[in-house]
């Protein structure tokens, strides 16, 4: 784990004390139907460690600094500044050697509208849209101009007097990536690649104490190249693992570890997919409300 990831862990442990919990957890990857109340602001630091691609060495860290504001009780807006680290020593044309400790990656904005709150046993429903721009490829670490538009449908259901919370997301994310490639000896041209990601994610969390939630999350993530000419799945991966959420008044800490269970296509002697996915992901989120 990088020194920056370690600093995030230390910060989270430092604030995990005092004050009562609210009645709903955060997950690391799965979004709930909740939105900030009108006039409230939340500041969050996200840190994700991704590592392992079979041969060679691969580790990458994604960082996001988020400011979320409740415009109304149902509608919220967020802005993100994104940063990334890559350390790659792996054979293959796509995965060139890379040693970048920390760099500005891009910007994005998030818009959430709650159609129905998960109250009184009802199913909560929220719609989500996130346009974004990146200057560094998430997988390879190469410089590239990427534009993406993420759409998410979020549902949430509470059980056992709100002590047990289930949430699920359907995400559709088209992406356009412009890279500079050598198309002939000494000739460099620009190539635009189109890619579509579709993800199904779900999480279940139980409040074991007034401040502590324990749960599990799972994700199915698939990639479709050149999607404007038909949907032909290139690869997919399935992840699942534990999730912990701790509330400390205005502060909160969320941690989720997701190992890849299986994927396709996979190499000899392995059931995992390594082109667009890693063996393990660890995500930490530290938040403070104002």
């Amino acid at each position: 784990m990088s020194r920056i990831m370690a600093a995030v862990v230390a910060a989270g442990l430092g604030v995990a004390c005092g004050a009562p919990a609210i009645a709903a957890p955060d997950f690391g990857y799965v979004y709930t139907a909740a939105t900030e109340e009108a006039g409230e602001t939340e500041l969050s630091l996200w840190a994700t460690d991704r590592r392992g691609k079979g041969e060679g060495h691969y580790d990458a860290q994604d960082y996001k600094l988020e400011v979320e504001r409740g415009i109304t009780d149902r509608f919220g807006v967020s802005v993100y500044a994104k940063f990334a680290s890559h350390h790659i020593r792996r054979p293959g044309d796509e995965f060139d050697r890379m040693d970048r400790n920390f760099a500005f990656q891009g910007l994005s904005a998030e818009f959430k509208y709650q159609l129905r709150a998960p109250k009184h046993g009802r199913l909560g429903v929220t719609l989500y849209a996130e346009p974004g721009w990146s200057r560094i490829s998430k997988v390879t670490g190469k410089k590239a101009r990427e534009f993406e538009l993420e759409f998410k449908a979020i549902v949430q259901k509470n059980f056992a007097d709100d002590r047990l919370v289930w949430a699920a997301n359907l995400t559709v994310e088209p992406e356009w990536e412009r890279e500079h490639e050598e198309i002939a000896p000494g000739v460099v041209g620009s190539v635009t690649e189109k890619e579509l990601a579709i993800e199904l994610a779900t999480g279940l969390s139980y409040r074991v104490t007034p401040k502590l939630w324990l749960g599990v999350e799972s994700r199915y993530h698939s990639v479709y190249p050149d999607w404007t000419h038909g949907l032909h799945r290139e690869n997919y991966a399935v992840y699942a693992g534990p999730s912990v959420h701790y509330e400390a008044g205005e502060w909160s800490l969320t941690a989720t570890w997701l190992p890849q269970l299986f994927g396709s296509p996979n190499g000899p002697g392995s059931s995992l997919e390594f082109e667009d996915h890693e063996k393990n992901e660890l995500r930490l989120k530290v938040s403070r409300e104002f």
Side-chain angles (χ1 to χ4, degrees), residues 2 11 18 25 50 63 78 80 91 97 106 166 176-177 199 221 230 235 241:
S2 71
R50 301 178 287 110
Y63 306 100
S78 299
Y80 294 88
R97 182 186 178 97
W166 168 78
W176 298 262
E177 179 178 351
E199 178 175 292
H221 184 271
N235 58 58

Side-chain angles (χ1 to χ4, degrees), residues 256-269:
T256 300
W257 174 57
L258 291 186
Q260 186 183 154
L261 303 183
F262 58 90
S264 181
N266 45 62

Side-chain angles (χ1 to χ4, degrees), residues 10 48 55 151 180-182 196 202 209 263 282 290:
T48 305
E55 298 180 5
F151 299 99
H180 297 291
E181 296 184 356
E182 187 174 8
L196 178 68
T202 186
T209 75
L282 172 65
F290 297 90

